[in-house]
Amino acid sequence: MKIITKMKLQLTAMLILTIVMSLLIGLTPVINKKKISEHFYDYIKNDRINNLVIKDAKGAIIYDGGFSKDELTRESTFHVVGDLNGSLPSSLLSTYLSNDANISLLDGYHSEQHTINLTIDLDMQKAAYKLLKSSGVNGTLFVADYNTGEVKTMVSTPSVDVKSKKKAADKAYLNKAAQAYTPGSVFKAIAVGALLEKSQSYQSLTFNCTGKYEEVSCSSAHGTVTLEEALYKSCNCGIAKFVSEHLTPEELNSFAKKAGVKSTDLMVDYPVKAGEVDANDSIRWSSDGQSKDLVTPVTIASYYGAIANNGRRQTFYYQKSNAKTSAKRIMEFRTSLFLKNALTKGMTNWYSTRFNCSCFGKTGTAETGRGTDHAWFVCSLTDTKAPTYVVVLMLEDGGSSTNAIKMTARFVNNTILGG
Amino acid sequence: MLFNLIQDVLLLLFLISAFQVVSQRHRDVYGFVVRKEEKVVLDGSQGLTTMIGRLRINDIHINKPDVPRKAAALTFDQKGHTMEVETLSKGGRYENNDYIIGGQRFHFSLPVNNQFRLSGMMPVFFTIGFIGFKAYCMYQEFPLTSMFIIHGILIAYVLLSMILRSDHAPIIESIFAIFLTYYIEATLYPALTNSEALAGCLRDSLIGVGVYVGMALIFSNFMKLDVNKAIGKKSLHQYLRIMALAGIIGLIVLNIVLAKVKYGAYNWITIGGMTFQPSEIVKLVYLLALVVPQRQLFNDRTNLIYTFGMTSIVFAYAVLIKDSGLLMQLGCLFIISVWLQNTDLLLIAIIILSTMVGAKAILKLSSTAAYRFTNWMGEGNTIFQILTGSGSLATHNGYGYQSVHALVAAFSNGGLLGNSSFDTLKGVMAANSDLVMGLLAQRHGAIFLFIMLLMVMLLIYTTFNSLQQQNRFQQVMTALSIAGIIFAIILNMGGTFSIIPLTGVVLPGISKGISAAICYGGMFGIICASGVSSSYYKLINERKAGMTNE
Ligand SMILES: [Zn+2]
């Protein structure tokens, strides 16, 4: 064979090899489409979390391509930020990652920095977490601006340290602010709201409390109470009588629904658990927040915020990009005024010295049926020198409402007003 | 995205015009047209040197016992415009452009080709347009005027090739220059994620492009020089081989004395602040040593001892530094040189067989190679699945880590036109050397990847057509160089996209690295020299028939 022929053969072989290689390279993405896209989405996930920055209301860094080095920051913000395993499906990281990345067939995926600005105040968040942790009882503290809808604090204990390899405590993965609990007396404001929405004339109802009314009982006889007094003195019998005499179970259910008990969208960017109210079972206990009633702390904040906001409910949000300005009226102005005055009287009579600003609020002790109580305290700040915040504290299984007030007062005085 | 689209369009225009030019020239012939009496026995496609003798390897073989095995080599003297006869054995006789041997008379005349065509210059214009546009694109990312100097070198190189080579369109030079624009990009890559590295990257790419172009010019001109005449007839290859032997031993000693383990390989040395791999340069020197013009590789004892001695030394060296990629490349060069320069089929078979057995034995010796091989295979895959990367994708945390990133970068992250970033391979070592094609495919998209493969095919096709325009020494050099380059491309691209196991071979002309620039710059230079000289080209176009002034 001549040398030139050999060379041509050699080059032909190389050409064929190159063509075969090109074909195989072209077939690779087709054959392994599924696997390559799996790795691609893994890569995108990593890239997106590496390029994510989460800042609080004042610009403090909560997350910057990785979790904070500060343990307190990590633990106090866990129920807001979440983790990378999707343990909290409603959390920021989970929803961020479940949103589709911007990928185009033409130019693929672009890695870019993404900043999420929160309305949450990191200092308040940390203070709230410390407060709850030091109380020895698990629970949640939720603070939002009832005027703008900004969520300022959303803390739940026990929490999880995403950097720790230790097994998390029981129920640590639940954000208690968005879970439904038996509300107890904090529900009374909803029951009274339902009455007044039917007729403002019910404002003048009176009742003589002997400590027992049908199946409902009070811890002591309240004597003659007006509707206003029944509310702020937390007279179970009074509220039960007024409601059961003047409202059908459907009417109570319907207003509770309007008040947001069954809503999941009270916060635009964080779904809350739908609560429950079934007055058909026992309208009397239902009106006192017992029986089958279940309400989330966010709902309570939303309702008490609406009272402070003259009957208009502001939808909450914790990511600045979701700011909504329109508020929805859920009760008449007169109703909200009545509730505000009643609850303010209660605060002035018993607890005004505890708080360094004017506010109205309500305690609640909910029997869980397990021999322990959920302790509630909700208050809306109405002072001109204080921000327009509504604060809800719920201590799960074993809190006392006195303790709840003490803790809330400390938080309001030291953190909200002092900070 | 728009920039990438324009680049793709310019490259496609280059490819189309280049394919057209090369296929037009396919019909051109450059060697002697030989007539026996009035009958044409050779049409000129045998190349510039016509061999005559009894063996079948000769261009003209005369099956008569009194004719020597190799009688003579007849070459056209491009300077003197005369026929030059190199008598290898007694038996033939030269007389007025006729060669008489075995009682037969052969008449030699120059071929007739078509005239110079303007369309032949189109690929060069597209290349220059492309390089200019590429410089503009890079300037968008690094607004530094010095950016243009590097691309300016490439434009000057292509322009110079066009001016100096009226004989043919400098398509290989154009492909080489286009490759080098991506070399610049790959070398600047760390600066895109770390702006402090820019000065160093810019210096590296300037040096690299300088070395590549410099080596190409040196080797391309060396091939055109008639060194034989300068240093005495028939001695060129002997000088060359002695120098090559000394060079290889020097490099190996240098490697063993100075080497530090880097990236898991035992072949990086640092001289004067520059880090490079002697093993890359060994390839080029070994290639030079393998060429035995006008002779068989094993035709005498000296040649035999030299060839086998040299081969044993370089193979032992490759085993010593545990570089399976180098070993495969050297093996490829050895087999091809044996195949080209020997007639004995049995010998060829023995050599190929023993090389294959040796390769298999070495695969067992080297744990890295074996590890890569088994992981590339994966478990329970069919051959087709293995050849399309399924094995690597299954082991993405171990062996497959790098190729999986390259696959994702190339096929998902870049999209069709590329996303102009480097993110997928950010954390991957060797992103701008071994996995450079993944990196560029992400930046420029899947379409670009296939344009690049078409460029490789064009490179082979162009070489295919210019081989016959040369004398035998150049032909063998070119055949070995193109083999060196294409085999490296297959090892690199195949490894990157998991068609074959990773071997750590860099991509010629594109991957970052000075030692690769010396090696492949030289090989590109040798290929660039393929084709006839401009004076010869002009001459055969001026003459209608016959080479004497009849
Ligand atoms: Zn009572």
Side-chain angles (χ1 to χ4, degrees):
Chain A
M1 213 190 294
K2 280 176 191 149
I3 193 161
I4 193 90
T5 320
K6 285 182 177 179
M7 283 171 187
K8 285 184 175 176
L9 270 175
Q10 174 210 330
L11 287 171
T12 312
M14 292 192 317
L15 196 59
I16 291 169
L17 261 178
T18 313
I19 292 169
V20 169
M21 179 179 79
S22 310
L23 287 176
L24 287 174
I25 290 179
L27 281 169
T28 305
V30 181
I31 305 288
N32 301 299
K33 195 168 183 250
K34 204 171 149 255
K35 272 192 177 171
I36 290 180
S37 62
E38 260 172 40
H39 290 297
F40 181 43
Y41 283 103
D42 266 6
Y43 158 71
I44 288 185
K45 184 187 160 190
N46 276 323
D47 186 70
R48 290 179 80 204
I49 56 181
N50 289 338
N51 280 310
L52 179 66
V53 178
I54 301 174
K55 289 181 181 171
D56 89 332
K58 289 182 251 165
I61 303 287
I62 295 175
Y63 180 100
D64 185 3
F67 291 99
S68 169
K69 283 185 181 126
D70 174 34
E71 191 184 327
L72 186 59
T73 304
R74 291 196 302 270
E75 290 185 356
S76 65
T77 58
F78 172 73
H79 295 95
V80 176
V81 175
D83 64 11
L84 299 175
N85 310 322
S87 309
L88 270 100
S90 314
S91 68
L92 195 55
L93 284 174
S94 298
T95 47
Y96 170 70
L97 289 175
S98 66
N99 290 337
D100 285 337
N102 190 16
I103 306 162
S104 97
L105 178 67
L106 278 185
D107 60 351
Y109 166 75
H110 287 263
S111 173
E112 53 203 349
Q113 181 137 89
H114 188 83
T115 305
I116 298 178
N117 292 303
L118 302 184
T119 60
I120 302 261
D121 184 313
L122 185 59
D123 292 333
M124 282 169 67
Q125 192 83 3
K126 285 180 180 173
Y129 181 72
K130 274 203 271 191
L131 184 71
L132 277 170
K133 225 181 157 196
S134 64
S135 75
V137 189
N138 292 327
T140 176
L141 183 70
F142 181 86
V143 181
D145 188 318
Y146 56 76
N147 193 29
T148 61
E150 292 177 3
V151 174
K152 306 308 287 186
T153 306
M154 182 161 68
V155 167
S156 177
T157 57
S159 186
V160 174
D161 180 4
V162 285
K163 284 196 172 174
S164 164
K165 287 190 175 74
K166 271 188 272 176
K167 196 175 173 286
D170 196 30
K171 287 189 191 168
Y173 288 100
L174 285 180
N175 178 11
K176 296 191 166 116
Q179 297 296 313
Y181 297 91
T182 313
S185 301
V186 292
F187 190 82
K188 287 194 174 90
I190 297 177
V192 173
L195 272 169
L196 295 180
E197 284 298 281
K198 191 175 179 191
S199 166
Q200 293 295 328
S201 64
Y202 297 146
Q203 289 192 13
S204 54
L205 292 171
T206 55
F207 168 70
N208 184 20
C209 171
T210 58
K212 184 135 182 76
Y213 172 75
E214 302 286 332
E215 72 269 37
V216 177
S217 56
C218 289
S219 51
S220 61
H222 287 98
T224 304
V225 286
T226 60
L227 180 69
E228 190 177 53
E229 286 165 339
L231 176 60
Y232 73 75
K233 289 181 178 169
S234 212
C235 175
N236 290 344
C237 302
I239 299 292
K241 182 180 185 289
F242 298 143
V243 171
S244 59
E245 271 186 5
H246 300 284
L247 294 178
T248 63
E250 281 68 37
E251 281 168 333
L252 181 59
N253 288 349
S254 149
F255 183 74
K257 205 175 158 193
K258 198 176 174 189
V261 172
K262 291 189 172 176
S263 307
T264 54
D265 58 355
L266 294 171
M267 224 195 286
V268 279
D269 38 20
Y270 202 107
V272 295
K273 198 145 190 188
E276 229 182 285
V277 57
D278 185 5
N280 287 313
D281 194 48
S282 162
I283 189 165
R284 285 177 281 272
W285 271 130
S286 261
S287 61
D288 288 324
Q290 295 291 166
S291 183
K292 286 183 175 168
D293 294 1
L294 287 173
V295 179
T296 71
V298 171
T299 313
I300 294 300
S302 157
Y303 185 74
Y304 280 78
I307 297 172
N309 204 25
N310 301 324
R312 287 152 57 85
R313 180 176 70 204
Q314 187 63 256
T315 310
F316 294 146
Y317 62 93
Y318 75 108
Q319 297 176 36
K320 280 185 181 166
S321 58
N322 291 328
K324 282 216 168 160
T325 46
S326 68
K328 192 184 162 204
R329 179 162 290 286
I330 56 164
M331 64 182 99
E332 281 182 47
F333 172 65
R334 287 180 294 176
T335 309
S336 69
L337 197 65
F338 177 86
L339 292 170
K340 196 193 283 181
N341 288 337
L343 295 167
T344 309
K345 270 182 197 161
M347 287 292 287
T348 333
N349 288 358
W350 297 302
Y351 312 122
S352 65
T353 51
R354 294 181 188 272
F355 289 86
N356 294 345
C357 69
S358 59
C359 57
F360 69 83
K362 183 84 195 74
T363 57
T365 310
E367 289 165 21
T368 58
R370 295 187 293 268
T372 51
D373 296 334
H374 294 326
W376 291 77
F377 184 73
V378 48
C379 77
S380 295
L381 310 187
T382 50
D383 209 309
T384 46
K385 67 177 194 270
T388 49
Y389 290 172
V390 54
V391 183
V392 176
L393 177 72
M394 195 280 295
L395 300 172
E396 188 190 19
D397 282 330
S400 75
S401 54
T402 323
N403 199 16
I405 291 179
K406 272 189 202 161
M407 283 166 67
T408 311
R410 247 170 77 193
F411 187 74
V412 169
N413 295 340
N414 299 345
T415 309
I416 299 180
L417 300 173
Chain B
M1 194 174 79
L2 181 68
F3 282 178
N4 283 342
L5 185 68
I6 296 171
Q7 286 179 26
D8 287 351
V9 168
L10 282 169
L11 283 180
L12 279 173
L13 286 171
F14 165 77
L15 277 167
I16 293 165
S17 58
F19 267 113
Q20 200 202 352
V21 168
V22 178
S23 46
Q24 269 179 9
R25 300 210 173 247
H26 186 55
R27 291 189 295 272
D28 294 356
V29 290
Y30 299 91
F32 284 127
V33 174
V34 186
R35 287 183 178 82
K36 188 167 114 184
E37 311 306 333
E38 282 310 302
K39 201 177 145 232
V40 175
V41 289
L42 281 177
D43 64 354
S45 60
Q46 74 275 21
L48 291 188
T49 307
T50 310
M51 301 283 290
I52 193 161
R54 177 157 48 86
L55 288 176
R56 287 190 67 86
I57 194 180
N58 294 298
D59 300 307
I60 301 166
H61 68 272
I62 305 137
N63 202 2
K64 282 185 180 173
D66 58 324
V67 174
R69 291 152 66 90
K70 284 189 177 188
L74 296 103
T75 314
F76 178 70
D77 179 3
Q78 297 167 22
K79 288 201 180 97
H81 293 191
T82 54
M83 190 162 78
E84 194 179 90
V85 184
E86 186 188 352
T87 308
L88 301 171
S89 311
K90 283 171 188 165
R93 161 167 73 86
Y94 172 68
E95 195 183 281
N96 287 339
N97 296 329
D98 285 1
Y99 194 80
I100 302 145
I101 189 165
Q104 293 172 3
R105 176 181 285 264
F106 296 92
H107 179 74
F108 289 76
S109 62
L110 281 175
V112 182
N113 279 332
N114 294 326
Q115 290 295 314
F116 167 83
R117 303 173 197 92
L118 187 69
S119 68
M121 291 298 120
M122 289 310 281
V124 178
F125 294 138
F126 285 127
T127 306
I128 291 170
F130 173 79
I131 297 171
F133 184 69
K134 198 87 205 296
Y136 173 74
C137 294
M138 290 302 284
Y139 187 74
Q140 305 297 307
E141 280 178 279
F142 306 104
L144 290 168
T145 321
S146 43
M147 200 85 236
F148 287 104
I149 297 172
I150 318 178
H151 289 86
I153 293 174
L154 294 179
I155 292 181
Y157 171 71
V158 175
L159 273 175
L160 203 70
S161 315
M162 184 173 74
I163 293 162
L164 294 181
R165 305 196 62 179
S166 61
D167 59 324
H168 75 293
I171 288 170
I172 294 167
E173 283 93 335
S174 297
I175 296 172
F176 181 49
I178 289 170
F179 275 19
L180 285 178
T181 62
Y182 293 102
Y183 173 88
I184 297 169
E185 209 174 324
T187 309
L188 283 167
Y189 145 67
L192 275 155
T193 45
N194 171 18
S195 57
E196 285 164 23
L198 181 59
C201 291
L202 207 61
R203 187 199 62 216
D204 284 359
S205 70
L206 187 62
I207 293 173
V209 167
V211 170
Y212 256 121
V213 171
M215 287 301 284
L217 286 171
I218 289 170
F219 273 78
S220 149
N221 287 304
F222 170 75
M223 296 299 290
K224 287 174 194 163
L225 275 179
D226 200 350
V227 192
N228 262 337
K229 254 188 192 147
I231 57 177
K233 273 204 170 179
K234 283 186 269 181
S235 54
L236 168 65
H237 87 275
Q238 280 166 358
Y239 281 101
L240 210 61
R241 295 182 105 197
I242 291 162
M243 275 158 58
L245 183 65
I248 281 189
I249 292 171
L251 281 167
I252 293 173
V253 169
L254 210 63
N255 192 153
I256 290 165
V257 173
L258 295 174
K260 286 189 186 99
V261 179
K262 196 176 171 188
Y263 310 129
Y266 176 59
N267 54 359
W268 291 88
I269 63 170
T270 308
I271 293 176
M274 302 265 285
T275 306
F276 69 100
Q277 293 174 288
S279 57
E280 292 284 347
I281 302 152
V282 166
K283 287 175 209 165
L284 182 64
V285 184
Y286 182 58
L287 183 149
L288 298 175
L290 283 172
V291 184
V292 197
Q294 322 294 13
R295 254 159 249 223
Q296 289 194 34
L297 202 50
F298 310 125
N299 71 336
D300 59 45
R301 196 190 286 168
T302 325
N303 260 345
L304 187 80
I305 293 169
Y306 180 88
T307 308
F308 272 106
M310 179 74 123
T311 305
S312 317
I313 291 172
V314 293
F315 278 30
Y317 165 68
V319 173
L320 183 75
I321 63 168
K322 288 183 178 168
D323 191 335
S324 50
L326 174 68
L327 195 69
M328 285 166 81
Q329 284 180 292
L330 294 173
C332 167
L333 288 177
F334 178 65
I335 290 175
I336 289 177
S337 73
V338 170
W339 147 255
L340 288 178
Q341 301 180 97
N342 283 282
T343 44
D344 196 334
L345 281 171
L346 187 68
L347 184 68
I348 293 167
I350 291 167
I351 295 293
I352 291 174
L353 206 71
S354 59
T355 313
M356 280 164 72
V357 170
K360 210 169 180 184
I362 280 145
L363 204 62
K364 277 185 181 156
L365 275 178
S366 161
S367 55
T368 321
Y371 166 77
R372 284 175 172 175
F373 192 75
T374 44
N375 279 284
W376 166 71
M377 298 264 286
E379 266 177 50
N381 290 315
T382 63
I383 293 171
F384 183 63
Q385 283 173 323
I386 293 168
L387 287 174
T388 47
S390 299
S392 311
L393 279 161
T395 55
H396 66 277
N397 283 323
Y399 160 78
Y401 183 79
Q402 302 200 22
S403 31
V404 167
H405 277 72
L407 286 169
V408 167
F411 294 118
S412 306
N413 205 355
L416 290 177
L417 290 173
N419 67 9
S420 304
S421 65
F422 288 122
D423 15 311
T424 313
L425 294 157
K426 209 189 276 174
V428 177
M429 206 182 75
N432 61 359
S433 57
D434 292 6
L435 299 179
V436 70
M437 220 40 232
L439 185 116
L440 292 175
Q442 167 169 7
R443 271 177 75 72
H444 299 285
I447 292 175
F448 163 79
L449 174 60
F450 282 89
I451 291 180
M452 220 57 200
L453 288 163
L454 284 176
M455 300 267 269
V456 176
M457 293 176 206
L458 175 68
L459 184 67
I460 302 172
Y461 186 49
T462 313
T463 313
F464 195 101
N465 283 295
S466 51
L467 262 184
Q468 65 188 38
Q469 305 167 20
Q470 294 174 282
N471 62 43
R472 193 146 304 182
F473 174 70
Q474 287 175 319
Q475 281 172 339
V476 178
M477 289 285 270
T478 306
L480 288 178
S481 297
I482 190 82
I485 288 172
I486 298 299
F487 195 58
I489 290 175
I490 290 176
L491 286 180
N492 177 281
M493 283 208 196
T496 301
F497 299 114
S498 282
I499 309 300
I500 53 168
L502 275 172
T503 44
V505 171
V506 299
L507 192 60
I510 296 180
S511 289
K512 182 193 182 222
I514 302 296
S515 31
I518 297 172
C519 172
Y520 296 114
M523 291 189 189
F524 266 108
I526 293 169
I527 307 176
C528 287
S530 66
V532 293
S533 75
S534 48
S535 59
Y536 181 67
Y537 182 81
K538 274 181 192 144
L539 190 76
I540 57 172
N541 280 323
E542 281 160 11
R543 307 264 171 121
K544 292 295 166 196
M547 65 161 285
T548 44
N549 301 317
E550 290 159 309

